[in-house]
Amino acid sequence: MRISESAEWQALADHHRDVRDRHLRDLFAEDPHRGEQLTCRAGDLVLDYSKNRLTRQTIRLLAAVAERAGLRERTEAMFRGEHINGTEDRAVLHVALRDPAPSGLRVDGQDVRRDVHEVLERMADFADRVRGGAWTGSTGERIRAVVNIGIGGSDLGPAMAYLALRDYSDRSLVFRFVSNIDPTDLAEAVRDLDPATTLFIVASKTFTTQETLTNAREARRWLVEGLGGDEKAVAKHFVAVSTNAEKVADFGIDTANMFGFWDWVGGRYSFTSAIGLSLMVAIGRDHYRDMLDGFHTVDEHFRTAPYEENVPALLGLISLWYVDFFGAQSQAVLPYSQYLARFPAYLQQLCMESNGKSVTLDGSPVDVPTGEIVWGEPGTNGQHAFYQLLHQGTVLVPADFIAFAQPHHDLDGMHDLFLSNFLAQPRALAFGRTAEEVAAEGTAEAVVPHRVMPGNRPSNAIVAPKLTPSTLGQLVAAYEHRVFTQGVVWGINSFDQWGVELGKVMANQLAPKLQSERAPEYDSDSSTNALVRYLREGRGR
Ligand code: F6P
């Protein structure tokens, strides 16, 4: 039975009719303790969901929908290693990557925990050697720069987390992340680096991704040329992270310098696998373990806490409330931390590649809207760019505000000013300003409508004491399980990504048309043909 046909969904739909026109001003006025009580905690994360267009009854009904959709059973199936990714016939076990238990979970005949800890130990040993100077380049010099080459899940996690945890990183090392096949990405990343002191980490689950292999090939050319044509240097300057030892060897990287992971780790869920190697080199093994422990804390919370007190489940269910009942199509994520500048980009892949689906597990079309568009920028920059639309525009954009009590650098009390913005924006969004209030300030009558702030714009606040490796892990795990919660209720597979394949195939078909010296066959659609002509002309072909 589809979730939308269940009595629980119907009860939510009926309840929506009662709640949809209620204003947050009234909900707060009627319930003086709302702001203290509509909160919950996971590890160090506190979620305040009181500024949402819902009541306690909404939460009860959403939790009932989650139970009805089988969220509990699906969660247990995930943690047990069942093949819940049906279209790829794979287990989904990123939670095993941060489980401190060293053995005991057998999946498809393998003790996955033992495998995880074995790789983690090799990663830690490698990170120690690079950081300590025992791993040198081919000329015997210490490594000074680490360049991660990867894309999607093989880039966004470590790139986001390196920036987030920069204050915990070894500042004597430089870290760069190259992802785009636009040649400028690699060229700019290496232009001030010395090949003798540069280490490349080629990160690709499949080791077949066009962007990554092309960038890695070019990086190898840059290195070998820079070291006087010494091909043997590759062994000291290239390591790989992959599930595909054969392709790593084909590329010319010794598999002794490969850090493996497994097909049960989805690309966008892979940053706590060996994909996090560059991050581990940056922050060291102990901070990395703290981060994994942070993930694990929220994994266990998600698995065990009742849904009405479950941070990831509530984040997923509240967002679904807006997507399916209020028609919201997007979700803003607004970290009040410059260190989290790449967090929205990271979440775009996590959320949109996972839940941008329009068929259910059995292949039939969904009958309720699914994944939302996720976007955002750190506050306060966003305030001076797009918040106008959030406050007075015609679309409903639920927002997650994220902040940390303690700063890493408090220059003359700036952090309190920063946090005052974090407090002010959700408050203004929720409560707005009425025409009477605006007029009472002596505003000219004609200007009053322009200055009215309608309010009733929903948001969550997520706060933690400080951005640390542990709280970053907790935060990411909360969003991972938020996505899972949504996917289970919608009845979709959050772990495949067939929709990105067609574009890859077409790019491979179109590349020769741009590369060939002779005029190609113009056998695509008329728009693509015209663009190929234009681009060839632009390159003098
Ligand atoms: O964009 C599609 C995708 O398959 C992502 O899911 C993945 O994270 C990315 O490409 C990179 O893949 P790989 O790690 O195999 O290079």
Side-chain angles (χ1 to χ4, degrees), residues 44-102:
D44 298 313
L45 305 179
V46 172
L47 168 66
D48 170 358
Y49 59 93
S50 63
K51 294 196 200 73
N52 280 292
R53 292 170 65 174
L54 48 76
T55 64
R56 287 174 171 78
Q57 175 66 355
T58 321
I59 296 297
R60 281 192 284 276
L61 293 170
L62 284 166
V65 163
E67 297 283 2
R68 180 59 189 249
L71 181 58
R72 210 163 286 286
E73 295 75 20
R74 293 289 285 177
T75 304
E76 286 308 314
M78 174 168 75
F79 277 75
R80 273 198 303 271
E82 285 179 26
H83 284 210
I84 63 167
N85 174 358
T87 59
E88 295 178 322
D89 193 17
R90 287 176 184 168
V92 174
L93 260 183
H94 44 281
V95 292
L97 298 169
R98 48 268 190 150
D99 191 332

Short mmCIF file of all heavy atoms in Angstrom, two decimals, residues 44-102:
data_model
loop_
_atom_site.label_atom_id
_atom_site.label_comp_id
_atom_site.label_asym_id
_atom_site.label_seq_id
_atom_site.Cartn_x
_atom_site.Cartn_y
_atom_site.Cartn_z
N ASP A 44 25.58 16.42 20.96
CA ASP A 44 25.75 17.85 21.29
C ASP A 44 24.82 18.74 20.49
O ASP A 44 24.86 19.96 20.64
CB ASP A 44 27.19 18.29 20.99
CG ASP A 44 28.19 17.53 21.83
OD1 ASP A 44 27.97 17.42 23.04
OD2 ASP A 44 29.17 17.02 21.25
N LEU A 45 24.05 18.15 19.58
CA LEU A 45 23.19 18.98 18.72
C LEU A 45 21.85 19.23 19.40
O LEU A 45 21.21 18.29 19.87
CB LEU A 45 22.90 18.29 17.38
CG LEU A 45 24.07 17.81 16.53
CD1 LEU A 45 23.53 17.13 15.27
CD2 LEU A 45 24.99 18.96 16.16
N VAL A 46 21.45 20.50 19.41
CA VAL A 46 20.11 20.82 19.89
C VAL A 46 19.30 21.31 18.70
O VAL A 46 19.76 22.20 17.96
CB VAL A 46 20.16 21.92 20.98
CG1 VAL A 46 18.75 22.40 21.34
CG2 VAL A 46 20.86 21.38 22.23
N LEU A 47 18.16 20.69 18.49
CA LEU A 47 17.26 21.12 17.41
C LEU A 47 16.08 21.85 18.03
O LEU A 47 15.36 21.30 18.86
CB LEU A 47 16.76 19.90 16.63
CG LEU A 47 15.59 20.17 15.66
CD1 LEU A 47 16.02 21.07 14.50
CD2 LEU A 47 15.03 18.85 15.12
N ASP A 48 15.90 23.12 17.63
CA ASP A 48 14.71 23.88 18.02
C ASP A 48 13.81 23.92 16.79
O ASP A 48 14.14 24.57 15.79
CB ASP A 48 15.14 25.30 18.45
CG ASP A 48 13.94 26.23 18.64
OD1 ASP A 48 12.80 25.79 18.41
OD2 ASP A 48 14.16 27.40 18.99
N TYR A 49 12.71 23.17 16.84
CA TYR A 49 11.81 23.15 15.68
C TYR A 49 10.52 23.90 15.96
O TYR A 49 9.52 23.75 15.27
CB TYR A 49 11.53 21.70 15.22
CG TYR A 49 10.90 20.80 16.24
CD1 TYR A 49 9.52 20.66 16.31
CD2 TYR A 49 11.67 20.08 17.14
CE1 TYR A 49 8.92 19.83 17.24
CE2 TYR A 49 11.09 19.24 18.08
CZ TYR A 49 9.72 19.12 18.13
OH TYR A 49 9.14 18.29 19.06
N SER A 50 10.57 24.77 16.99
CA SER A 50 9.33 25.45 17.40
C SER A 50 8.85 26.47 16.36
O SER A 50 7.67 26.79 16.31
CB SER A 50 9.55 26.15 18.74
OG SER A 50 10.54 27.14 18.62
N LYS A 51 9.78 26.98 15.52
CA LYS A 51 9.35 28.00 14.56
C LYS A 51 8.91 27.36 13.24
O LYS A 51 9.21 27.85 12.15
CB LYS A 51 10.47 29.02 14.32
CG LYS A 51 10.81 29.85 15.57
CD LYS A 51 11.62 31.08 15.20
CE LYS A 51 12.37 31.66 16.36
NZ LYS A 51 13.55 30.84 16.77
N ASN A 52 8.24 26.23 13.37
CA ASN A 52 7.65 25.58 12.20
C ASN A 52 6.13 25.66 12.29
O ASN A 52 5.56 25.76 13.37
CB ASN A 52 8.08 24.11 12.15
CG ASN A 52 9.47 23.97 11.58
OD1 ASN A 52 9.70 24.23 10.40
ND2 ASN A 52 10.42 23.57 12.42
N ARG A 53 5.50 25.55 11.14
CA ARG A 53 4.04 25.68 11.08
C ARG A 53 3.40 24.33 11.44
O ARG A 53 2.86 23.63 10.60
CB ARG A 53 3.64 26.19 9.71
CG ARG A 53 4.12 27.63 9.54
CD ARG A 53 3.98 28.14 8.15
NE ARG A 53 2.61 28.23 7.72
CZ ARG A 53 2.25 28.76 6.56
NH1 ARG A 53 3.18 29.27 5.74
NH2 ARG A 53 0.99 28.80 6.22
N LEU A 54 3.50 24.02 12.71
CA LEU A 54 3.00 22.74 13.18
C LEU A 54 2.69 22.83 14.67
O LEU A 54 3.07 23.79 15.34
CB LEU A 54 4.01 21.63 12.90
CG LEU A 54 5.47 21.84 13.30
CD1 LEU A 54 5.72 21.71 14.79
CD2 LEU A 54 6.34 20.84 12.57
N THR A 55 1.99 21.81 15.13
CA THR A 55 1.67 21.69 16.56
C THR A 55 2.24 20.36 17.07
O THR A 55 2.74 19.56 16.27
CB THR A 55 0.15 21.69 16.77
OG1 THR A 55 -0.37 20.51 16.14
CG2 THR A 55 -0.51 22.93 16.18
N ARG A 56 2.07 20.14 18.36
CA ARG A 56 2.52 18.85 18.90
C ARG A 56 1.78 17.70 18.20
O ARG A 56 2.34 16.63 17.98
CB ARG A 56 2.24 18.81 20.40
CG ARG A 56 3.19 19.70 21.20
CD ARG A 56 2.76 19.71 22.66
NE ARG A 56 3.71 20.36 23.53
CZ ARG A 56 3.86 21.67 23.64
NH1 ARG A 56 3.11 22.50 22.92
NH2 ARG A 56 4.76 22.18 24.46
N GLN A 57 0.53 17.95 17.85
CA GLN A 57 -0.26 16.92 17.16
C GLN A 57 0.36 16.60 15.78
O GLN A 57 0.37 15.44 15.37
CB GLN A 57 -1.72 17.43 17.02
CG GLN A 57 -2.65 16.55 16.22
CD GLN A 57 -2.91 15.20 16.90
OE1 GLN A 57 -2.31 14.88 17.92
NE2 GLN A 57 -3.78 14.39 16.29
N THR A 58 0.87 17.63 15.12
CA THR A 58 1.51 17.37 13.81
C THR A 58 2.66 16.38 13.99
O THR A 58 2.82 15.45 13.19
CB THR A 58 2.08 18.68 13.22
OG1 THR A 58 1.19 19.75 13.46
CG2 THR A 58 2.38 18.54 11.74
N ILE A 59 3.44 16.61 15.03
CA ILE A 59 4.60 15.74 15.26
C ILE A 59 4.14 14.31 15.52
O ILE A 59 4.71 13.35 14.99
CB ILE A 59 5.46 16.29 16.43
CG1 ILE A 59 6.04 17.67 16.06
CG2 ILE A 59 6.58 15.32 16.81
CD1 ILE A 59 6.99 17.67 14.87
N ARG A 60 3.08 14.17 16.31
CA ARG A 60 2.56 12.82 16.58
C ARG A 60 2.11 12.15 15.28
O ARG A 60 2.40 10.99 15.02
CB ARG A 60 1.38 12.89 17.56
CG ARG A 60 1.83 13.04 19.01
CD ARG A 60 0.67 12.82 19.98
NE ARG A 60 -0.22 13.95 20.03
CZ ARG A 60 -0.03 15.03 20.80
NH1 ARG A 60 1.02 15.11 21.60
NH2 ARG A 60 -0.88 16.03 20.79
N LEU A 61 1.43 12.94 14.44
CA LEU A 61 0.92 12.35 13.18
C LEU A 61 2.07 12.02 12.22
O LEU A 61 2.02 11.01 11.52
CB LEU A 61 -0.07 13.33 12.53
CG LEU A 61 -1.39 13.52 13.32
CD1 LEU A 61 -2.20 14.67 12.72
CD2 LEU A 61 -2.21 12.23 13.31
N LEU A 62 3.08 12.89 12.19
CA LEU A 62 4.24 12.60 11.33
C LEU A 62 4.97 11.35 11.81
O LEU A 62 5.39 10.51 11.00
CB LEU A 62 5.21 13.79 11.32
CG LEU A 62 4.79 15.00 10.48
CD1 LEU A 62 5.65 16.23 10.82
CD2 LEU A 62 4.89 14.70 8.98
N ALA A 63 5.10 11.22 13.13
CA ALA A 63 5.76 10.03 13.68
C ALA A 63 4.96 8.77 13.32
O ALA A 63 5.52 7.72 12.99
CB ALA A 63 5.91 10.15 15.20
N ALA A 64 3.63 8.89 13.33
CA ALA A 64 2.79 7.74 12.97
C ALA A 64 2.99 7.37 11.49
O ALA A 64 3.02 6.19 11.13
CB ALA A 64 1.32 8.06 13.25
N VAL A 65 3.15 8.38 10.66
CA VAL A 65 3.41 8.11 9.23
C VAL A 65 4.74 7.37 9.08
O VAL A 65 4.86 6.41 8.31
CB VAL A 65 3.40 9.44 8.42
CG1 VAL A 65 4.05 9.26 7.06
CG2 VAL A 65 1.97 9.95 8.26
N ALA A 66 5.76 7.82 9.85
CA ALA A 66 7.07 7.16 9.76
C ALA A 66 6.97 5.70 10.17
O ALA A 66 7.52 4.81 9.51
CB ALA A 66 8.08 7.89 10.65
N GLU A 67 6.23 5.45 11.27
CA GLU A 67 6.06 4.05 11.71
C GLU A 67 5.33 3.25 10.63
O GLU A 67 5.73 2.15 10.28
CB GLU A 67 5.22 3.99 13.01
CG GLU A 67 5.85 4.68 14.21
CD GLU A 67 6.98 3.89 14.86
OE1 GLU A 67 7.30 2.80 14.37
OE2 GLU A 67 7.53 4.38 15.87
N ARG A 68 4.28 3.85 10.08
CA ARG A 68 3.50 3.15 9.07
C ARG A 68 4.33 2.84 7.82
O ARG A 68 4.19 1.79 7.19
CB ARG A 68 2.28 4.01 8.70
CG ARG A 68 1.39 3.42 7.65
CD ARG A 68 0.87 2.06 8.14
NE ARG A 68 0.17 1.34 7.11
CZ ARG A 68 -1.14 1.10 7.11
NH1 ARG A 68 -1.87 1.49 8.12
NH2 ARG A 68 -1.70 0.44 6.12
N ALA A 69 5.23 3.77 7.49
CA ALA A 69 6.06 3.56 6.29
C ALA A 69 7.14 2.52 6.54
O ALA A 69 7.85 2.12 5.61
CB ALA A 69 6.70 4.89 5.88
N GLY A 70 7.29 2.09 7.79
CA GLY A 70 8.28 1.05 8.10
C GLY A 70 9.67 1.61 8.34
O GLY A 70 10.67 0.90 8.13
N LEU A 71 9.74 2.86 8.80
CA LEU A 71 11.07 3.46 9.00
C LEU A 71 11.91 2.64 9.98
O LEU A 71 13.09 2.42 9.76
CB LEU A 71 10.91 4.91 9.49
CG LEU A 71 12.21 5.68 9.72
CD1 LEU A 71 13.07 5.74 8.47
CD2 LEU A 71 11.92 7.11 10.22
N ARG A 72 11.26 2.15 11.03
CA ARG A 72 12.01 1.37 12.03
C ARG A 72 12.59 0.09 11.40
O ARG A 72 13.78 -0.19 11.54
CB ARG A 72 11.06 1.01 13.17
CG ARG A 72 11.73 0.88 14.50
CD ARG A 72 10.70 0.93 15.63
NE ARG A 72 10.17 2.25 15.89
CZ ARG A 72 10.84 3.23 16.49
NH1 ARG A 72 12.09 3.06 16.87
NH2 ARG A 72 10.28 4.41 16.70
N GLU A 73 11.76 -0.60 10.66
CA GLU A 73 12.23 -1.87 10.06
C GLU A 73 13.31 -1.60 9.02
O GLU A 73 14.31 -2.31 8.95
CB GLU A 73 11.06 -2.61 9.37
CG GLU A 73 9.96 -3.11 10.31
CD GLU A 73 9.04 -1.99 10.81
OE1 GLU A 73 8.98 -0.92 10.18
OE2 GLU A 73 8.38 -2.18 11.86
N ARG A 74 13.09 -0.54 8.21
CA ARG A 74 14.10 -0.23 7.17
C ARG A 74 15.42 0.18 7.81
O ARG A 74 16.49 -0.14 7.30
CB ARG A 74 13.63 0.91 6.26
CG ARG A 74 12.45 0.60 5.39
CD ARG A 74 12.74 -0.35 4.26
NE ARG A 74 13.49 0.21 3.15
CZ ARG A 74 13.89 -0.51 2.10
NH1 ARG A 74 13.65 -1.81 2.04
NH2 ARG A 74 14.56 0.06 1.11
N THR A 75 15.33 0.90 8.93
CA THR A 75 16.56 1.32 9.61
C THR A 75 17.31 0.09 10.10
O THR A 75 18.53 -0.04 9.90
CB THR A 75 16.22 2.25 10.79
OG1 THR A 75 15.47 3.35 10.30
CG2 THR A 75 17.47 2.76 11.48
N GLU A 76 16.58 -0.81 10.74
CA GLU A 76 17.24 -2.04 11.24
C GLU A 76 17.83 -2.83 10.08
O GLU A 76 18.92 -3.36 10.17
CB GLU A 76 16.24 -2.89 12.04
CG GLU A 76 15.93 -2.32 13.42
CD GLU A 76 17.20 -2.02 14.24
OE1 GLU A 76 18.11 -2.85 14.29
OE2 GLU A 76 17.27 -0.92 14.83
N ALA A 77 17.09 -2.89 8.97
CA ALA A 77 17.59 -3.63 7.80
C ALA A 77 18.88 -2.99 7.29
O ALA A 77 19.83 -3.68 6.91
CB ALA A 77 16.52 -3.64 6.70
N MET A 78 18.93 -1.65 7.30
CA MET A 78 20.15 -0.95 6.87
C MET A 78 21.31 -1.32 7.80
O MET A 78 22.38 -1.72 7.34
CB MET A 78 19.92 0.56 6.86
CG MET A 78 21.19 1.35 6.57
SD MET A 78 20.88 3.09 6.21
CE MET A 78 20.53 3.74 7.84
N PHE A 79 21.09 -1.20 9.11
CA PHE A 79 22.17 -1.47 10.06
C PHE A 79 22.60 -2.95 10.03
O PHE A 79 23.73 -3.27 10.36
CB PHE A 79 21.74 -1.09 11.50
CG PHE A 79 21.92 0.37 11.82
CD1 PHE A 79 21.05 1.33 11.32
CD2 PHE A 79 22.97 0.80 12.62
CE1 PHE A 79 21.21 2.68 11.62
CE2 PHE A 79 23.14 2.16 12.93
CZ PHE A 79 22.25 3.09 12.43
N ARG A 80 21.68 -3.85 9.66
CA ARG A 80 22.04 -5.28 9.58
C ARG A 80 22.80 -5.61 8.31
O ARG A 80 23.34 -6.69 8.16
CB ARG A 80 20.76 -6.13 9.59
CG ARG A 80 20.23 -6.48 10.96
CD ARG A 80 19.25 -7.66 10.87
NE ARG A 80 18.16 -7.39 9.96
CZ ARG A 80 17.00 -6.82 10.31
NH1 ARG A 80 16.80 -6.46 11.56
NH2 ARG A 80 16.04 -6.64 9.43
N GLY A 81 22.80 -4.68 7.36
CA GLY A 81 23.52 -4.94 6.11
C GLY A 81 22.68 -5.63 5.06
O GLY A 81 23.23 -6.24 4.13
N GLU A 82 21.35 -5.55 5.17
CA GLU A 82 20.52 -6.13 4.11
C GLU A 82 20.66 -5.31 2.83
O GLU A 82 20.98 -4.12 2.89
CB GLU A 82 19.05 -6.16 4.56
CG GLU A 82 18.83 -7.26 5.57
CD GLU A 82 17.39 -7.30 6.06
OE1 GLU A 82 16.48 -6.85 5.33
OE2 GLU A 82 17.21 -7.78 7.18
N HIS A 83 20.36 -5.93 1.71
CA HIS A 83 20.51 -5.24 0.42
C HIS A 83 19.31 -4.30 0.21
O HIS A 83 18.45 -4.56 -0.62
CB HIS A 83 20.61 -6.25 -0.71
CG HIS A 83 21.95 -6.91 -0.77
ND1 HIS A 83 22.52 -7.35 -1.93
CD2 HIS A 83 22.86 -7.16 0.21
CE1 HIS A 83 23.70 -7.88 -1.67
NE2 HIS A 83 23.92 -7.78 -0.37
N ILE A 84 19.29 -3.19 0.93
CA ILE A 84 18.14 -2.29 0.79
C ILE A 84 18.26 -1.40 -0.44
O ILE A 84 17.31 -0.73 -0.82
CB ILE A 84 17.90 -1.43 2.06
CG1 ILE A 84 19.08 -0.51 2.35
CG2 ILE A 84 17.58 -2.30 3.28
CD1 ILE A 84 18.76 0.57 3.37
N ASN A 85 19.44 -1.37 -1.07
CA ASN A 85 19.56 -0.69 -2.36
C ASN A 85 19.24 -1.73 -3.43
O ASN A 85 20.13 -2.41 -3.96
CB ASN A 85 20.98 -0.13 -2.51
CG ASN A 85 21.23 0.47 -3.90
OD1 ASN A 85 20.37 0.43 -4.77
ND2 ASN A 85 22.42 0.99 -4.11
N GLY A 86 17.93 -1.86 -3.71
CA GLY A 86 17.45 -2.94 -4.56
C GLY A 86 17.91 -2.84 -6.01
O GLY A 86 18.30 -3.83 -6.61
N THR A 87 17.92 -1.65 -6.58
CA THR A 87 18.22 -1.55 -8.01
C THR A 87 19.70 -1.83 -8.30
O THR A 87 20.06 -2.12 -9.43
CB THR A 87 17.88 -0.15 -8.56
OG1 THR A 87 18.65 0.82 -7.83
CG2 THR A 87 16.41 0.17 -8.43
N GLU A 88 20.54 -1.75 -7.27
CA GLU A 88 21.95 -2.11 -7.46
C GLU A 88 22.30 -3.37 -6.67
O GLU A 88 23.47 -3.78 -6.66
CB GLU A 88 22.85 -0.94 -7.06
CG GLU A 88 22.67 0.28 -7.96
CD GLU A 88 23.52 1.48 -7.56
OE1 GLU A 88 23.68 1.72 -6.35
OE2 GLU A 88 24.03 2.15 -8.46
N ASP A 89 21.27 -3.95 -6.01
CA ASP A 89 21.45 -5.17 -5.22
C ASP A 89 22.63 -5.05 -4.24
O ASP A 89 23.54 -5.88 -4.22
CB ASP A 89 21.64 -6.39 -6.15
CG ASP A 89 21.50 -7.69 -5.38
OD1 ASP A 89 20.96 -7.66 -4.26
OD2 ASP A 89 21.95 -8.74 -5.90
N ARG A 90 22.60 -3.99 -3.43
CA ARG A 90 23.70 -3.73 -2.51
C ARG A 90 23.20 -3.41 -1.11
O ARG A 90 22.13 -2.83 -0.94
CB ARG A 90 24.50 -2.50 -2.97
CG ARG A 90 25.34 -2.78 -4.18
CD ARG A 90 26.01 -1.51 -4.62
NE ARG A 90 26.75 -1.78 -5.85
CZ ARG A 90 27.26 -0.85 -6.63
NH1 ARG A 90 27.11 0.43 -6.32
NH2 ARG A 90 27.93 -1.16 -7.71
N ALA A 91 24.03 -3.74 -0.14
CA ALA A 91 23.80 -3.25 1.22
C ALA A 91 24.14 -1.77 1.27
O ALA A 91 24.79 -1.23 0.37
CB ALA A 91 24.68 -4.02 2.20
N VAL A 92 23.66 -1.11 2.32
CA VAL A 92 23.89 0.34 2.50
C VAL A 92 24.42 0.49 3.92
O VAL A 92 23.67 0.51 4.88
CB VAL A 92 22.56 1.10 2.34
CG1 VAL A 92 22.73 2.57 2.67
CG2 VAL A 92 22.00 0.92 0.93
N LEU A 93 25.73 0.53 4.04
CA LEU A 93 26.29 0.37 5.39
C LEU A 93 27.26 1.47 5.80
O LEU A 93 28.22 1.19 6.54
CB LEU A 93 27.00 -0.99 5.46
CG LEU A 93 26.19 -2.08 6.12
CD1 LEU A 93 27.01 -3.37 6.20
CD2 LEU A 93 25.73 -1.68 7.53
N HIS A 94 27.01 2.70 5.35
CA HIS A 94 27.95 3.75 5.77
C HIS A 94 28.02 3.83 7.30
O HIS A 94 29.03 4.27 7.83
CB HIS A 94 27.59 5.11 5.15
CG HIS A 94 26.14 5.43 5.17
ND1 HIS A 94 25.25 4.91 4.27
CD2 HIS A 94 25.41 6.21 6.00
CE1 HIS A 94 24.04 5.36 4.54
NE2 HIS A 94 24.11 6.15 5.58
N VAL A 95 26.96 3.40 7.99
CA VAL A 95 27.01 3.44 9.47
C VAL A 95 28.11 2.53 10.02
O VAL A 95 28.63 2.78 11.10
CB VAL A 95 25.64 3.11 10.10
CG1 VAL A 95 24.64 4.21 9.82
CG2 VAL A 95 25.11 1.75 9.63
N ALA A 96 28.47 1.48 9.27
CA ALA A 96 29.54 0.59 9.75
C ALA A 96 30.90 1.26 9.69
O ALA A 96 31.83 0.85 10.38
CB ALA A 96 29.56 -0.70 8.92
N LEU A 97 31.02 2.30 8.87
CA LEU A 97 32.33 2.96 8.69
C LEU A 97 32.77 3.69 9.96
O LEU A 97 33.93 4.00 10.13
CB LEU A 97 32.26 3.97 7.54
CG LEU A 97 31.95 3.39 6.16
CD1 LEU A 97 31.65 4.53 5.17
CD2 LEU A 97 33.13 2.56 5.66
N ARG A 98 31.82 4.01 10.82
CA ARG A 98 32.20 4.76 12.03
C ARG A 98 31.86 4.00 13.29
O ARG A 98 31.88 4.55 14.39
CB ARG A 98 31.57 6.15 12.03
CG ARG A 98 30.12 6.24 11.70
CD ARG A 98 29.84 6.46 10.23
NE ARG A 98 28.42 6.78 10.04
CZ ARG A 98 27.93 7.52 9.11
NH1 ARG A 98 28.71 8.02 8.19
NH2 ARG A 98 26.65 7.80 9.06
N ASP A 99 31.54 2.73 13.13
CA ASP A 99 31.22 1.90 14.30
C ASP A 99 32.52 1.56 15.02
O ASP A 99 33.41 0.95 14.44
CB ASP A 99 30.50 0.64 13.78
CG ASP A 99 29.89 -0.14 14.92
OD1 ASP A 99 30.41 -0.06 16.04
OD2 ASP A 99 28.90 -0.85 14.66
N PRO A 100 32.65 1.92 16.30
CA PRO A 100 33.91 1.64 16.98
C PRO A 100 34.14 0.15 17.23
O PRO A 100 35.28 -0.26 17.47
CB PRO A 100 33.79 2.41 18.30
CG PRO A 100 32.35 2.71 18.48
CD PRO A 100 31.70 2.67 17.13
N ALA A 101 33.08 -0.69 17.16
CA ALA A 101 33.29 -2.12 17.39
C ALA A 101 34.21 -2.68 16.30
O ALA A 101 33.96 -2.48 15.11
CB ALA A 101 31.94 -2.84 17.39
N PRO A 102 35.27 -3.38 16.69
CA PRO A 102 36.28 -3.78 15.71
C PRO A 102 35.92 -4.98 14.86
O PRO A 102 36.60 -5.29 13.89
CB PRO A 102 37.51 -4.09 16.57
CG PRO A 102 36.96 -4.45 17.91
CD PRO A 102 35.66 -3.72 18.07
#
